[in-house]
């Protein structure tokens, strides 16, 4: 088995952890760069190097034993990726693509240049820039975003006036800001594709994502009642972005579904929370297709194997230990699939998710089977968190 390639994954979170299952099945070898040997992914990937992804020497030491390098997050400094690439390391996705997921200013610019539909936006340096922008888009509130380093809504602020804008802009750890119109969307969608270096690409069914406080809570796949034309448009936008930017691996395109059509919110170039449903709900999971793509293997079938799949995130609650709740949840609902990320529980932290699949494709949010799947998913998560005890 020594000829099987080694995929190096930078970052020890749940996304790296969930790559382990398909790697085991395919006989691929994973090598992990983690902050600590107790990280969720480090618990399941024996070949773990503890090091700092912001340190070029650590990255070089790590990359030595890898055939390709890929990521669990987008926070590796772009210049380090360029340095690795120029010394012959296969970085996938490469820095020329990844920088558009790392920097929301670059991303907005590039999406505009390729004609992808985006909200009105502007790079800003001062509160008066924000005021001028707000006047152009019909007034406050508007949305300020840190160009780099944000996740799960950290780095996103709804600002109601000049004073609030000035306060946000005074965060001195943030290297830059963009402002965006507050989009009055009907719902949020995500279009996910996988693309290989040879240019093969596949598109997953477009899903609906439900965010609260900037954090993904639920995903319904496919997006209930989404018109076929709009679903196809969303997939085409995602495929075009993947091709134009030269993305390798999974690309998740977060979208706003508005009365006038879809607008691109942001891009992620790695497996994404909106794609966890694919583990049970699709013929090939996002994690398997990410590995296939970074190795330039033919991609697997992305189509759904269930009528509807519902994923509910498990965010840290009152219970420190999930395991005692397994007995009740599994006994109550044999169709429930529980995923735990091996993380210590902190309030609001993503520590796992549950998935339920249904037979029929929901034509609307009120579809009875969909409502039942959502109820059961929420119940399980409520029980696992300790919010309910029956
Ligand atoms: N211009 C906007 N108008 C309305 N809502 C927005 C806008 N931008 C962001 N949001 C809301 O805030 C959420 C988080 O924003 P965004 O995806 O840009 O941030 P993030 O922290 O990078 O998220 P992620 O966890 O996906 O990386 C969005 O999913 C959406 O619910
Ligand atoms: Mg987002």
């Amino acid at each position: 088995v020594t000829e099987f390639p080694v995929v190096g994954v930078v970052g020890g979170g749940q996304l790296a952890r969930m790559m382990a299952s398909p790697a085991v099945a395919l006989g691929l070898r994973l090598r992990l760069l983690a902050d600590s040997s107790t990280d969720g992914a480090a618990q399941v990937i024996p070949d773990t190097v503890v090091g700092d992804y912001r340190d070029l020497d650590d990255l070089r030491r790590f990359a030595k034993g890898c055939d390709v390098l890929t990521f669990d997050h987008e926070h590796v400094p772009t210049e380090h990726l360029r340095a690795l690439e120029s010394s012959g390391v296969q970085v996938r996705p490469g820095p020329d693509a990844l920088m558009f997921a790392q920097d929301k200013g670059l991303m907005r610019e590039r999406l505009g240049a390729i004609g992808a539909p985006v909200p009105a936006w502007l790079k800003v340096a001062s509160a008066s820039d924000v005021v001028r922008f707000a006047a152009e888009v019909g007034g406050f509130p508007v949305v300020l975003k840190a160009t780099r380093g944000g996740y799960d809504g950290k780095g996103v602020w709804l600002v109601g006036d000049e004073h609030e804008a000035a306060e946000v802009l005074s965060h001195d750890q943030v290297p830059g800001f963009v402002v965006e119109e507050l989009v009055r969307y009907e719902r949020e969608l995500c279009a996910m594709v996988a693309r290989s270096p040879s240019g093969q690409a596949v598109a997953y069914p477009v899903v609906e994502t439900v965010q609260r406080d900037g954090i993904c809570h639920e995903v319904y796949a496919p997006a209930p009642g989404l018109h076929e034309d709009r679903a196809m448009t969303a997939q085409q936008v995602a495929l075009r972005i993947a091709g134009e930017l030269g993305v390798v691996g999974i690309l998740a395109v977060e979208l706003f579904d508005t009365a006038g059509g879809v607008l691109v919110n942001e891009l992620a170039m790695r497996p994404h929370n909106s794609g966890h449903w694919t583990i049970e709900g699709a013929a090939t999971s996002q994690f398997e297709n990410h590995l296939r793509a970074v190795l330039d293997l033919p991609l697997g079938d992305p189509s759904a194997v269930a009528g509807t799949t519902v994923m509910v995130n498990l965010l840290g609650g009152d219970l420190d230990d999930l395991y005692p709740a397994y007995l009740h949840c599994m006994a109550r609902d044999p169709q429930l699939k529980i995923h735990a990320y091996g993380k210590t529980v902190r309030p609001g932290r993503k520590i796992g998710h549950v998935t339920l699949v249904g037979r029929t494709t929901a034509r609307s949010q009120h579809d009875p089977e969909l409502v039942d799947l959502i109820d059961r998913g929420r119940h399980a998560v409520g029980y696992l968190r300790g919010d309910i005890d029956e």
Side-chain angles (χ1 to χ4, degrees):
V1 293
T2 47
E3 308 91 283
F4 277 59
V6 177
V7 178
V9 185
V10 179
Q14 65 266 24
L15 302 176
R17 182 178 167 110
M18 286 186 271
M19 290 179 205
S21 297
V24 167
L26 290 167
L28 307 172
R29 293 177 297 162
L30 293 186
R31 183 156 203 250
L32 186 74
L33 180 65
D35 293 337
S36 129
S37 60
T38 59
D39 281 1
Q43 296 165 23
V44 301
I45 299 174
D47 186 4
T48 290
V49 174
V50 173
D52 184 349
Y53 63 85
R54 289 158 300 201
D55 184 291
L56 184 55
D57 291 333
D58 282 8
L59 287 166
R60 284 196 199 283
R61 182 165 57 95
F62 173 67
K64 269 215 179 85
C66 304
D67 292 290
V68 299
L69 211 67
T70 191
F71 310 95
D72 157 282
H73 60 71
E74 45 250 338
H75 304 315
V76 181
T78 320
E79 64 271 20
H80 291 355
L81 298 177
R82 292 199 197 289
L84 290 169
E85 219 175 31
S86 58
S87 56
V89 178
Q90 301 265 14
V91 180
R92 293 178 170 171
D96 291 338
L98 193 64
M99 64 181 183
F100 297 109
Q102 295 182 312
D103 185 306
K104 285 180 169 153
L106 291 178
M107 176 197 72
R108 285 265 171 267
E109 237 158 50
R110 187 79 167 94
L111 290 176
I114 66 172
V118 293
W121 73 283
L122 186 71
K123 248 183 204 163
V124 290
S126 71
S128 58
D129 292 345
V130 178
V131 171
R132 260 194 306 280
F133 175 83
E136 274 167 37
V137 297
F140 285 98
V142 293
V143 180
L144 268 175
K145 294 185 177 180
T147 50
R148 296 181 79 97
Y151 66 98
D152 286 348
K154 295 179 186 66
V156 176
W157 300 269
L158 184 69
V159 295
D161 57 34
E162 178 169 10
H163 176 76
E164 283 176 24
E167 172 130 357
V168 170
L169 293 169
S170 71
H171 289 231
D172 50 9
Q173 271 112 324
V174 179
F177 291 90
V178 293
V179 65
E180 293 176 7
E181 65 175 305
L182 176 66
V183 178
R184 311 284 178 176
Y185 53 82
E186 283 156 16
R187 58 175 164 176
E188 293 185 74
L189 303 173
C190 192
M192 175 170 279
V193 299
R195 184 177 176 278
S196 68
S198 321
Q200 190 199 358
V202 295
Y204 283 93
V206 177
V207 303
E208 175 172 345
T209 67
V210 181
Q211 265 73 226
R212 273 175 234 133
D213 303 323
I215 299 178
C216 177
H217 277 248
E218 297 177 355
V219 173
Y220 315 139
L226 183 65
H227 196 282
E228 213 176 295
D229 293 344
R230 194 165 286 196
M232 199 116 72
T233 303
Q235 287 180 320
Q236 279 162 356
V237 167
L239 287 168
R240 194 150 59 81
I241 293 170
E244 294 272 359
L245 273 53
V247 177
V248 170
I250 293 287
L251 169 70
V253 180
E254 297 180 7
L255 299 160
F256 297 127
D257 190 17
T258 76
V262 294
L263 296 174
V264 177
N265 174 30
E266 63 157 350
L267 310 178
M269 295 179 195
R270 49 165 171 78
H272 189 254
N273 201 164
S274 67
H276 293 354
W277 71 275
T278 59
I279 296 173
E280 289 88 4
T284 313
S285 80
Q286 62 164 346
F287 300 101
E288 177 171 345
N289 261 340
H290 187 75
L291 292 173
R292 291 196 194 200
V294 302
L295 289 167
D296 208 7
L297 290 168
L299 301 174
D301 178 4
S303 52
V305 293
T308 300
T309 306
V310 167
M311 191 266 350
V312 182
N313 268 347
L314 174 56
L315 305 177
D318 293 335
L319 297 182
D320 295 338
D321 189 4
L322 296 178
Y323 187 68
Y326 275 24
L327 176 66
H328 176 88
C329 290
M330 290 175 178
R332 187 180 192 269
D333 194 342
Q335 287 163 351
L336 180 75
K337 293 301 206 179
I338 305 175
H339 297 254
Y341 305 154
K343 291 182 179 176
T344 48
V345 179
R346 263 190 266 120
R349 188 182 200 198
K350 286 178 185 170
I351 54 172
H353 71 267
V354 303
T355 307
L356 285 156
V357 300
R359 292 158 50 93
T360 55
T361 301
R363 304 263 168 246
S364 84
Q365 259 110 339
H366 311 294
D367 176 277
E369 192 183 14
L370 174 68
V371 170
D372 176 62
L373 295 173
I374 295 172
D375 275 354
R376 285 156 56 201
R378 286 181 186 167
H379 181 278
V381 160
Y383 195 91
L384 289 160
R385 284 167 47 89
D387 298 346
I388 47 178
D389 60 6
E390 57 184 344

